[in-house]
Amino acid sequence: MTLSQTFADFATGLTIDAIPERVKERARHLILDSVGTGLAAVGADWAEATFAAAGDLGSGTAPVLGYGRTLAMRDAALMNGVVTHGLDYDDTHSRGIIHATVSAFPTALVAADKAGASGGDLLVAYIAAMEVSTRVAAVGAGGFHGFGFHPTGLIGAFGSTLAAGRLLGLDAQQIAMAQGIVLSMAGGSLEFLADGAWTKRLHPGWAASSALTAATLAKRGFVGPPAAYEGRFGLYALYLRDAAPALLAQATEALGDTWEIEAVSVKPLPACHMTHAAIDAAIALRAEYDLTAADIAKVIVLVPEAVIPIVCEPVAPKRTPHTGYDAQFSIPYTVATALLTGKFTLDSLDPAALNDPAVLDLAARVSYAVDPDSDYPKHFTGEVMVETRDGRMLRHREAINRGASDRPLSNADIDAKYFENAARTVDATRAAHIRAAVLDLHLHPASALGDILAGATAPQGVSA
């Protein structure tokens, strides 16, 4: 059997009773976390631009978080992916280095709504997508980034195709075919790292939109290649230059027995996960030694070698980020902010914060070196060493980043994060109503959740 067939059989055969209760509960909390980050993004300039463009492309009745029911299914999936991923505050599967929820959930939400499916069906489809996207990405062990591809967009399309196929009524053979079709649609360039461009925000939504397209084509009999993953020009040969059988075997290892959802990390900080350990180390140093900018001569941050092109280089723009997105992918800026303020929040990405002379002055004194003891990508390690003006060398190491599977945020932590994010656009009563709908989604029709999320708030010019 091809991997496409194996995954298709898994997606069509998975039942809600076969999934452990703890996994279903965690899955609902991951969705809640995604909804919270999406609510915080409603009204952002890039979200408004995406919504306007989607409206130019057509109309429909599919639900969009905070933006009503005015878009067609594929464009609604695109928009939901943009808002839930756009603040880069969404969950990460560390071994795969993929934000999987922000393609899996937008796909499942609109497909379940269109199909008139139950909330339980939505949940199972989401879990199936998560289990496959995370495994397929983990085979790459960070290699996709090395070739300039963003796994969130590239790999998210494959798992999402399973969710779309299951909810839109495809059989296993059609879902296998759909994965071959989506191979020609999947992508996601890391070029945004050069200047903080908005394109990364599109990646999970485009993956979701592509998944719905591929599934619908397959349902109508469109033919795709059967070896989407292991073929001569399949996913791994094309994007990793390697399709070794030993690697491919990892993609299906313990599928349906070990639940990768339990290895998904929830972000405690609104920045690239590769910066988190360093931020926390900087916060710890400031608290322990009561540091001020005047105390610090220079800072050296030890990071995993593989993350250097993403959060450390090129050095000059990393020290002077022009946009919030630039800042989220900058070790100098995030560490300088943490050392000076003792925190890193969404407010740290505002223009006033980005132009703070004290932060920029300290960021200019932040450099990096390779962490020889890192076990990346299992953990996003980080160590901060501060040389003070009076000659001391202070250091703090975070060997296991907060939110990692072996240092997870609890469901209560996710609740707290959700309410903090939701408060940026909705009142407390509305936030509590949305939370209840998400956590009880398996008890109601999927369309009911769509209604609640679509009417969550009403941005300028939108009647939700």
Side-chain angles (χ1 to χ4, degrees), residues 64-455:
V64 177
L65 177 60
Y67 283 87
R69 284 181 171 272
T70 62
L71 297 181
M73 179 176 67
R74 287 187 301 175
D75 295 329
L78 170 67
M79 186 66 193
N80 284 323
V82 168
V83 293
T84 54
H85 181 58
L87 292 176
D88 222 277
Y89 206 1
D90 47 311
D91 65 40
T92 309
H93 182 265
S94 298
R95 287 194 305 115
I97 320 176
I98 181 174
H99 304 278
T101 290
V102 288
S103 60
F105 177 60
T107 302
L109 175 66
V110 300
D113 184 80
K114 181 176 179 62
S118 70
D121 292 334
L122 187 165
L123 183 63
V124 174
Y126 163 76
I127 291 172
M130 292 291 287
E131 292 303 309
V132 171
S133 285
T134 52
R135 281 176 168 79
V136 171
V139 170
F144 294 110
H145 286 87
F147 287 103
F149 297 108
H150 185 211
T152 295
L154 177 64
I155 309 303
F158 291 92
S160 295
T161 297
L162 302 177
R166 179 187 169 103
L167 288 165
L168 296 179
L170 279 66
D171 61 27
Q173 183 178 357
Q174 291 170 322
I175 293 177
M177 193 63 66
Q179 292 166 83
I181 297 170
V182 90
L183 172 64
S184 287
M185 304 175 182
S189 165
L190 293 179
E191 181 60 23
F192 73 91
L193 290 169
D195 55 12
W198 291 359
T199 48
K200 179 176 181 285
R201 295 183 168 108
L202 288 171
H203 294 173
W206 190 254
S209 180
S210 297
L212 292 160
T213 303
T216 303
L217 285 167
K219 186 175 183 178
R220 291 294 186 177
F222 196 93
V223 178
Y229 304 94
E230 62 270 69
R232 182 164 67 103
F233 297 114
L235 174 71
Y236 294 116
L238 194 61
Y239 293 98
L240 288 182
R241 315 295 189 261
D242 191 352
L247 287 176
L248 297 177
Q250 297 176 25
T252 56
E253 185 176 359
L255 182 63
D257 293 318
T258 298
W259 299 92
E260 291 298 319
I261 272 184
E262 296 186 292
V264 171
S265 303
V266 174
K267 283 188 175 183
L269 299 164
C272 173
H273 232 132
M274 298 171 184
T275 68
H276 283 205
I279 294 172
D280 277 345
I283 291 171
L285 280 174
R286 182 183 188 274
E288 183 175 356
Y289 297 101
D290 197 24
L291 291 171
T292 67
D295 296 324
I296 301 171
K298 65 178 181 180
V299 181
I300 301 173
V301 184
L302 300 184
V303 297
E305 185 172 13
V307 313
I308 289 171
I310 300 170
V311 294
C312 298
E313 293 182 349
V315 173
K318 294 297 185 186
R319 287 175 170 166
T320 56
H322 296 296
T323 69
Y325 230 45
D326 268 342
Q328 288 173 301
F329 289 83
S330 165
I331 282 289
Y333 178 81
T334 56
V335 168
T337 299
L339 283 170
L340 288 182
T341 68
K343 59 186 177 181
F344 195 90
T345 69
L346 287 171
D347 292 336
S348 304
L349 305 173
D350 289 342
L354 297 178
N355 293 304
D356 185 334
V359 172
L360 295 176
D361 179 66
L362 182 54
R365 286 175 267 150
V366 177
S367 59
Y368 70 88
V370 174
D371 181 357
D373 300 317
S374 177
D375 62 354
Y376 175 91
K378 182 178 182 181
H379 299 111
F380 296 119
T381 58
E383 183 170 345
V384 175
M385 301 183 293
V386 173
E387 183 179 321
T388 64
R389 297 192 186 278
D390 60 9
R392 292 173 295 160
M393 178 61 77
L394 313 176
R395 59 197 304 162
H396 184 92
R397 180 177 182 80
E398 292 286 327
I400 301 176
N401 54 290
R402 277 192 302 144
S405 58
D406 45 357
R407 191 185 172 188
L409 297 192
S410 68
N411 290 340
D413 293 331
I414 293 175
D415 272 357
K417 177 186 171 184
Y418 162 76
F419 280 113
E420 181 179 338
N421 281 329
R424 299 177 77 91
T425 56
V426 299
D427 62 34
T429 300
R430 189 73 168 153
H433 182 54
I434 295 166
R435 174 189 175 276
V438 171
L439 295 184
D440 290 340
L441 73 89
H442 56 301
L443 304 177
H444 305 286
S447 59
L449 179 63
D451 287 340
I452 290 166
L453 297 183

